[in-house]
Amino acid sequence: MQAGQPSRTALAAARHRAAHQILEEGRIFKDPLAVRILGEDPAEIARQAEEGTYARGMRMFIAARTRFAEDSLAAAVAERGVSQLVVLGAGLDTYAYRGALRDRLRIFEVDHPSTQAWKRERLAEAAIEVPGTLTYTPVDFERQTLREGLAAAGFDPQQRTFFTWLGVVPYLQKDAIWATLNYIGALPGGAHVVFDYSNPKETFPEELRERHEERAARVAAIGEPWVSFFDTDELRGQLVDAGFGMVDDRGPSRIFSNPKMGDKGGHIVHAASPLKS
């Protein structure tokens, strides 16, 4: 992203979420604030979504990962005593402003200061109320660690916590990815994390590889290239080594309940560390 400007990929993801509410009527997940927070004409959002090459596939993936994250959060609150939610790379995510559990959780939205300032402007312009349970946590990772940023915001590492980290991992170098995952896996109160990633394009079937390369070229052109990819089995082993005793990794065939799609491409992972006394 450019200095002083919000992430353009965060804006693109927000448009996909909004388009899903318009074109599919929120069939996969309902978000009554997705269009409102953008402040854009719904007809124009729909037109651009329908004209985009491969746009529907990406829109469905973004809708599915959001639904998976929110369902996993609800189960973790009910069954594992989660009391804090950290939204990493929050962008224009609206869970803190509409989620059914927002009043039961202490919520931290972590993002680059420029993107977070842009979001707060959008919320004010859209007259979306900011709940008292939410704490904004601006973190510039070139100058500050996640641990430092959360500590400054009043995060309690002794409380069991759920992290969502959607649409971020592919844009980071692996040392930064593992710094975050190792931190989450070692939290004394125990933690869950949901994130998405992609397998290396060399493992894709030809048609999927073509789509991947087109999307990769598009995000690279706006200065936010994909840089990290993972082998599924290797990632699972590394997550276990990082302290996550449970790893639920879902590839395309499971995400969309279609065995013909195979297991190569975009994945969604829910990993959890054991309950700690």
Side-chain angles (χ1 to χ4, degrees):
M1 61 181 288
Q2 298 178 1
Q5 299 294 321
S7 165
R8 294 177 66 180
T9 52
L11 177 58
R15 285 179 173 146
H16 280 305
R17 291 193 295 269
H20 175 60
Q21 306 307 307
I22 299 166
L23 297 175
E24 289 85 32
E25 299 181 339
R27 186 179 74 243
I28 297 176
F29 88 104
K30 298 288 187 182
D31 185 346
L33 300 179
V35 176
R36 186 172 157 192
I37 196 172
L38 272 175
E40 298 178 1
D41 177 43
E44 182 63 15
I45 294 171
R47 184 191 67 78
Q48 292 185 10
E50 290 178 316
E51 288 182 355
T53 305
Y54 306 132
R56 188 177 188 279
M58 180 59 74
R59 184 168 73 250
M60 293 298 99
F61 179 78
I62 287 173
R65 77 186 183 193
T66 305
R67 172 67 181 271
F68 179 72
E70 294 186 8
D71 286 353
S72 298
L73 169 63
V77 171
E79 301 167 11
R80 295 291 184 266
V82 162
S83 60
Q84 295 180 130
L85 168 65
V86 178
V87 185
L88 297 174
L92 291 183
D93 183 274
T94 63
Y95 185 85
Y97 314 90
R98 61 169 173 81
L101 299 172
R102 69 175 188 173
D103 294 330
R104 294 177 56 185
L105 296 167
R106 187 163 186 200
I107 303 174
F108 301 84
E109 284 195 352
V110 178
D111 218 330
H112 188 279
S114 295
T115 298
Q116 196 160 88
W118 163 65
K119 179 177 189 171
R120 298 182 75 169
E121 290 175 0
R122 289 298 324 127
L123 289 164
E125 290 175 9
I128 295 174
E129 182 181 358
V130 177
T133 53
L134 172 63
T135 300
Y136 291 109
T137 310
V139 177
D140 183 344
F141 286 99
E142 293 183 0
R143 298 176 174 84
Q144 190 179 26
T145 67
L146 176 60
R147 183 193 304 272
E148 292 167 342
L150 285 173
F155 174 76
D156 184 355
Q158 300 295 330
Q159 298 297 314
R160 191 158 183 86
T161 304
F162 197 102
F163 290 76
T164 61
W165 201 18
L166 305 179
V168 178
V169 165
Y171 300 93
L172 302 178
Q173 297 291 341
K174 286 189 176 181
D175 58 349
I177 295 168
W178 286 110
T180 296
L181 290 172
N182 286 329
Y183 165 72
I184 295 171
L187 283 171
H192 298 247
V193 60
V194 171
F195 65 95
D196 57 298
Y197 74 94
S198 174
N199 299 123
K201 68 177 182 180
E202 294 79 12
T203 66
F204 293 179
E206 184 175 350
E207 181 181 357
L208 184 58
R209 188 181 310 171
E210 179 183 342
R211 295 183 182 184
H212 173 91
E213 289 176 344
E214 190 275 338
R215 291 169 180 156
R218 187 164 63 248
V219 296
I222 63 174
E224 298 179 24
W226 293 335
V227 296
S228 290
F229 307 92
F230 292 92
D231 173 83
T232 298
D233 291 338
E234 289 182 4
L235 177 62
R236 180 183 296 274
Q238 290 171 315
L239 285 168
V240 171
D241 290 343
F244 297 99
M246 186 281 290
V247 179
D248 180 6
D249 186 312
R250 303 191 178 198
S253 63
R254 289 188 66 196
I255 293 170
F256 297 107
S257 300
N258 183 354
K260 294 181 179 179
M261 297 185 72
D263 294 322
K264 300 301 182 183
H267 288 240
I268 309 169
V269 178
H270 175 199
S273 60
L275 288 167
K276 298 179 175 64
S277 58

